Amino acid sequence: MSGEFTDIKSLTYDEVMAFVTSIGEKPFRGKQLYEWMHVHRVASYQEMTNLSKAFRQQLEDTTTYTSLTKVDCQISKEDGTRKYLFALADGNVVESVLMRYKHGNSVCVSSQVGCRMGCRFCASTLDGLLRNLTASEILDQIYAIERDTKERVSNVVVMGTGEPMDNYDNIVRFVKLLSDEHGANISQRNITVSTCGIVPRMRQLADEKLQITLALSLHACNQQKRLELMPVANKYDIHEVVDACRYYFEQTGRRITFEYSLVGGVNDSSQDAEELTALLQGINCHVNLIPVNPIKERDYVQSNRAVVEAFKNKLEKNGINVTIRREMGRDIDGACGQLRRKHISET
Ligand code: SAH
């Protein structure tokens, strides 16, 4: 958001109405404006052809209309996955990914420019946090991809660069806008927010009583192992984090997803699977196993296929719901955050 200007696309429907009437326009102008932004998703005020020139000028003068510029787009020949690099108005760049599934298109959005969580295996955090994204800038990633592909997006996961619970207010605003029936109207049940485990914010999110899925990046079966991979564990013990997940389920009735990146020789033994089973006892959940995506800055390696299968079978035998995440766009990949890093080092 720039200075004193109103970030118009981050305003809720009611806030747009209030804003429009505050500058002396009729409420139905607010409805039109909101539809241009969130239904037709135009890239600028110029395209809002049924608004008067004077009103558009007034909007230009008093508000910010965010919009992204496509800098790069890599398309997988294997499965059509598209990895986008977008420039924000201030020149920073963010990554977003479109994945095509049988059940529809899913977009993975970034929530921050960089990240300060420091997870050992993750490329997005290597240069730290530059700034939070506004709700509008997170929405823009979806809108820009829909414009680029001329295809609808049905599912959204907040699993790109950044820690959404470290940008809490903007994420909640984003979810409300994305699921608003006046606008993009994507069901909350088709939205997933992934966190490394910031306990107070997870509990606060539970109290919002949204119908979104909460995914927890667990990646370890006990506190000691989690500490080795995720510095955030210094602040919140693994049991506190798992309790916050239970609380989320109690408040929302939404089944928790646990993400578990398998790192060769680090967290993939049969003993790890047993401990994980005990840790998740009695939680209505689903475990998503992700073969770690090696980054060149660290020497972590993927577990081999047989180890991944054995880990999955053990959990299944123990009555845990589990899937191995299909690796989309392997040929264009590089882990999360690597396209952005490549771009930054080249420019
Ligand atoms: N900060 C949030 C969301 C962004 S990361 C979170 O931690 O959940 C999205 C997911 O990708 C997380 O589960 C994260 O731990 C995982 N991840 C990051 N780098 C990875 C890598 N190199 N290989 C496998 N998974 C990775």
Side-chain angles (χ1 to χ4, degrees):
M1 213 173 297
S2 61
E4 71 276 25
F5 291 123
T6 303
D7 173 16
I8 193 86
K9 219 187 293 169
S10 288
L11 299 186
T12 62
Y13 187 77
D14 290 344
E15 288 167 347
V16 169
M17 291 309 193
F19 174 78
V20 163
T21 43
S22 81
I23 61 171
E25 287 282 345
K26 295 262 174 358
F28 81 96
R29 293 291 177 208
K31 189 164 179 287
Q32 289 176 323
L33 173 58
Y34 194 87
E35 278 176 8
W36 279 118
M37 294 193 284
H38 298 289
V39 181
H40 311 306
R41 296 136 188 229
V42 296
S44 69
Y45 288 130
Q46 283 89 53
E47 296 168 55
M48 303 183 180
T49 45
N50 65 355
L51 302 184
S52 73
K53 279 224 168 84
F55 182 30
R56 279 186 267 161
Q57 191 57 49
Q58 199 173 12
L59 290 169
E60 296 274 9
D61 294 344
T62 57
T63 69
T64 305
Y65 195 87
T66 57
S67 140
L68 305 176
T69 312
K70 183 168 88 175
V71 176
D72 194 2
C73 176
Q74 301 184 347
I75 304 174
S76 164
K77 291 190 186 66
E78 286 178 15
D79 54 33
T81 295
R82 287 166 168 250
K83 202 158 200 181
Y84 287 89
L85 191 71
F86 291 116
L88 306 161
D90 65 2
N92 279 309
V93 291
V94 292
E95 277 183 45
S96 326
V97 184
L98 168 73
M99 290 155 289
R100 295 189 163 103
Y101 296 100
K102 279 191 229 73
H103 65 264
N105 286 341
S106 183
V107 165
C108 173
V109 294
S110 293
S111 57
Q112 296 179 311
V113 183
C115 182
R116 57 177 179 161
M117 295 298 127
C119 296
R120 300 287 299 155
F121 45 80
C122 181
S124 295
T125 195
L126 290 167
D127 297 317
L129 175 68
L130 286 176
R131 70 168 173 89
N132 284 328
L133 294 182
T134 60
S136 54
E137 288 169 328
I138 308 172
L139 279 172
D140 281 339
Q141 297 171 55
I142 301 158
Y143 295 176
I145 289 176
E146 288 195 326
R147 259 204 307 276
D148 193 59
T149 57
K150 301 183 177 63
E151 289 173 28
R152 297 296 286 190
V153 167
S154 53
N155 288 69
V156 172
V157 297
V158 186
M159 283 189 189
T161 295
E163 167 49 45
M165 293 298 98
D166 192 35
N167 185 14
Y168 185 88
D169 292 344
N170 289 338
I171 288 297
V172 170
R173 189 170 269 281
F174 159 75
V175 167
K176 289 181 178 166
L177 284 165
L178 186 63
S179 56
D180 180 13
E181 55 189 17
H182 299 104
N185 200 16
I186 292 185
S187 161
Q188 289 186 359
R189 291 167 173 266
N190 294 345
I191 303 172
T192 297
V193 171
S194 176
T195 178
C196 64
I198 300 182
V199 169
R201 296 286 89 77
M202 292 165 68
R203 289 182 168 268
Q204 192 179 345
L205 188 68
D207 292 334
E208 309 268 356
K209 302 253 188 338
L210 302 170
Q211 280 297 294
I212 59 177
T213 299
L214 180 66
L216 175 78
S217 297
L218 186 58
H219 304 325
C221 60
N222 61 43
Q223 172 65 4
Q224 188 205 336
K225 287 206 174 193
R226 195 160 191 264
L227 260 177
E228 284 169 30
L229 294 171
M230 304 175 73
V232 70
N234 281 301
K235 208 144 176 210
Y236 307 107
D237 182 84
I238 194 166
H239 294 286
E240 268 184 84
V241 179
V242 170
D243 280 347
C245 291
R246 284 182 212 277
Y247 182 72
Y248 189 87
F249 176 76
E250 286 162 15
Q251 295 305 305
T252 64
R254 300 289 295 158
R255 189 172 77 157
I256 302 292
T257 297
F258 289 102
E259 294 161 274
Y260 194 103
S261 293
L262 285 163
V263 187
V266 173
N267 62 4
D268 62 349
S269 71
S270 107
Q271 170 69 24
D272 287 310
E274 291 298 349
E275 273 188 63
L276 183 60
T277 305
L279 182 68
L280 302 183
Q281 210 55 58
I283 304 185
N284 192 337
C285 69
H286 173 252
V287 174
N288 207 200
L289 298 175
I290 314 161
V292 80
N293 208 329
I295 59 173
K296 66 173 190 302
E297 291 82 358
R298 305 268 188 260
D299 51 13
Y300 292 121
V301 295
Q302 279 194 357
S303 313
N304 69 46
R305 204 67 209 174
V307 170
V308 174
E309 289 293 339
F311 198 92
K312 170 176 180 264
N313 291 339
K314 182 131 236 163
L315 290 183
E316 240 163 24
K317 226 181 256 154
N318 292 346
I320 293 196
N321 233 305
V322 56
T323 46
I324 299 173
R325 181 175 300 169
R326 222 175 107 207
E327 290 174 86
M328 303 289 280
R330 254 180 323 189
D331 53 330
I332 53 168
D333 225 353
C336 306
Q338 290 203 325
L339 184 58
R340 175 167 167 263
R341 279 182 67 73
K342 188 170 138 239
H343 174 83
I344 293 169
S345 65
E346 281 168 5
T347 52

